[in-house]
Amino acid sequence: MNMQQAINRMQAEGGTLTATAQVTRAATGKTEEHVLVMTPQGPPPVTKKVLQLVIKRKDGSTETLPVILRPGDSASLDGIVIAEG
Amino acid sequence: MSTTHDATLRNTLATAVRDAIDGGAGAGKLVFRLTGSVGSPGTAVATLTLSDPCGTVSGAVLTFSSITSDTNAAGNASAVAAATLQTSAGTVCLHCAVAASSSDINMSGGLTVGAGDTVSCSSLTYTAPV
């Protein structure tokens, strides 16, 4: 597994990635050790409401339609707001 | 004579597909699978995460936004033959065929995915029935 694969896996599964790199300075010939610690920095969590619009028919059957509302969205029925994101 | 749908209705159909895929608490998934059906999907081989919302609808076409690759696929010795679009909770909304060409989803680089392989999707659209 190379560094990019390790980073991708950390992003997908979480946890902490610790990598150690050795740098040899050409000018001095001295070797330095550098430790890199990385933690996932994913996108902010998605905020949405998933509501179920259910119509119950006279015969007892029902029809269900998902209504997805995100921040700033609103759902209305005949002009009356019934839900907001 | 074939059955055709009004343009507005076609847009409604594509929107309903989008909302069905987004109907879970999180982002929906594109799952590459072995042979199966919408009611009995085959074994999952690779799972890619969709955007949330999964895409945008215009002209009866749902164009999927960026899809996150699976960089550590489960893999399988058998070839990928199908794919499902499903909610974050795993409810299957669409089931389609996958082949090297002339299929619902065309897959390059071979149809056999090894464990740990990276599987990506460069572009994806759904067109409501005409």
Side-chain angles (χ1 to χ4, degrees):
Chain A
M1 185 183 295
N2 61 32
M3 177 63 80
Q4 186 60 57
Q5 288 174 321
I7 292 172
N8 291 343
R9 186 163 187 176
M10 175 196 67
Q11 293 277 33
E13 301 179 8
T16 301
L17 172 64
T18 303
T20 303
Q22 289 186 329
V23 180
T24 301
R25 300 293 178 186
T28 63
K30 292 184 178 179
T31 299
E32 303 164 356
E33 192 169 88
H34 298 270
V35 178
L36 176 67
V37 179
M38 300 173 66
T39 54
Q41 295 292 324
V46 174
T47 304
K48 64 177 175 180
K49 287 183 184 177
V50 181
L51 309 176
Q52 301 295 327
L53 176 65
V54 180
I55 300 173
K56 187 174 182 180
R57 300 296 177 186
K58 181 180 177 182
D59 63 3
S61 63
T62 58
E63 298 161 18
T64 304
L65 184 69
V67 178
I68 299 173
L69 298 178
R70 301 176 191 276
D73 293 349
S74 67
S76 61
L77 201 57
D78 277 349
I80 301 172
V81 175
I82 58 175
E84 292 180 328
Chain B
M1 176 180 270
S2 60
T3 301
T4 56
H5 300 81
D6 168 74
T8 300
L9 178 57
R10 293 185 68 220
N11 229 43
T12 299
L13 291 171
T15 300
V17 168
R18 180 201 68 192
D19 290 348
I21 295 170
D22 290 340
K29 309 281 186 185
L30 167 63
V31 183
F32 288 90
R33 299 177 176 274
L34 304 185
T35 301
S37 65
V38 66
S40 182
T43 301
V45 176
T47 300
L48 287 66
T49 303
L50 306 174
S51 295
D52 194 352
C54 62
T56 56
V57 174
S58 179
V61 177
L62 167 59
T63 302
F64 286 83
S65 301
S66 64
I67 300 173
T68 303
S69 304
D70 183 351
T71 57
N72 188 25
N76 199 289
S78 299
V80 169
T84 54
L85 285 157
Q86 54 196 65
T87 70
S88 58
T91 301
V92 174
C93 303
L94 276 80
H95 185 278
C96 62
V98 177
S101 63
S102 303
S103 188
D104 298 325
I105 294 180
N106 298 325
M107 190 170 187
S108 61
L111 294 174
T112 303
V113 176
D117 281 357
T118 294
V119 179
S120 305
C121 182
S122 58
S123 66
L124 187 66
T125 61
Y126 164 86
T127 302
V130 176

